[in-house]
Amino acid sequence: MNGIAKMLLFLCPHCDELLKVPEAYLGQRGRCNKCGGRIALIGDANLATPQAASIVADETATDPRLGPPKPASDKQLDYLRALGAPEQTLRGLDRDQASALIDELKEKRQRGEPPTEKQLTYLKHLGATERQLGRVRSKADATRLIEDLHLSPTADQIKRLKALGASGAHLAALKSKAAADALIEELSDP
Ligand SMILES: [Zn+2]
């Protein structure tokens, strides 16, 4: 043991649980210990307040380390019942199917629900602009913006920004896909 490991904060994209994870897990794939959904932990460990986002890991990707499909866990089944899944849909589910069903039901529910205080506080902490926050109308919107604040700007965004006349300094300072969106918006404004 060499002292206390730096902990990162993640919101599970499947169930919105706030997870605390040792920094060493950054960049790895795994499962949420509440809902069992597959997640990939991404972000910047060098931030003053360490935190990062988890994204939904590709459910179709086969990871040889995971082995053959395991049956859905009791936690997943409980969670699915809480989401209102009928009992007959729960029979014979494997973990990935359960996770996909959780996502589906969550997404449906999240589109109709306002963002939580936890999500909004986290978004402000991550540097979402007022304008971006103003557009967050549902839990699903908040989840998406949290991901975008942790992903790198895309090649397309950089191309657009160059076309809009963004300076090299501007481009170098861009930290995320969401920040690139905000700058594109700013520069496109008449
Ligand atoms: Zn979860």
Side-chain angles (χ1 to χ4, degrees), residues 2 5 14 16 43 47 49 54 59 69 96 110 115 126 129 148 153 165 179 182:
N2 51 354
H14 303 279
D16 288 338
L47 295 172
T49 309
S54 51
E59 297 291 344
D96 288 337
Q110 285 199 346
L126 291 172
T129 65
D148 282 355

Side-chain angles (χ1 to χ4, degrees), residues 6 28 51-52 66 88 91 94 107 127 134 146 176 178-179:
K6 207 152 109 181
Q28 294 189 17
Q51 56 197 310
L66 293 174
Q88 67 266 25
R91 261 175 245 141
D94 70 29
E107 168 85 23
I146 288 172
S176 68

Side-chain angles (χ1 to χ4, degrees), residues 11-19 31-39 54 79 102:
L11 275 187
C12 173
H14 303 279
C15 72
D16 288 338
E17 180 68 5
L18 193 58
L19 308 167
R31 288 185 188 275
C32 167
N33 54 21
K34 184 186 173 198
C35 74
R38 276 198 203 183
I39 51 181
S54 51
Y79 195 59
I102 286 174

Side-chain angles (χ1 to χ4, degrees), residues 142-157:
T143 303
R144 209 164 310 126
L145 186 52
I146 288 172
E147 282 189 18
D148 282 355
L149 281 160
H150 285 88
L151 297 172
S152 306
T154 64
D156 261 6
Q157 285 181 314

Side-chain angles (χ1 to χ4, degrees), residues 69-105:
K70 294 198 179 93
S73 69
D74 288 345
K75 265 188 195 165
Q76 285 183 312
L77 294 178
D78 285 348
Y79 195 59
L80 279 165
R81 286 189 189 103
L83 287 170
E87 205 55 38
Q88 67 266 25
T89 63
L90 304 182
R91 261 175 245 141
L93 284 183
D94 70 29
R95 275 214 229 173
D96 288 337
Q97 289 166 333
S99 177
L101 189 56
I102 286 174
D103 280 350
E104 198 187 305
L105 295 174

Side-chain angles (χ1 to χ4, degrees), residues 13 23 32 36-37 62 114-115 185 190:
E23 191 186 342
C32 167
T62 42
E185 205 166 55

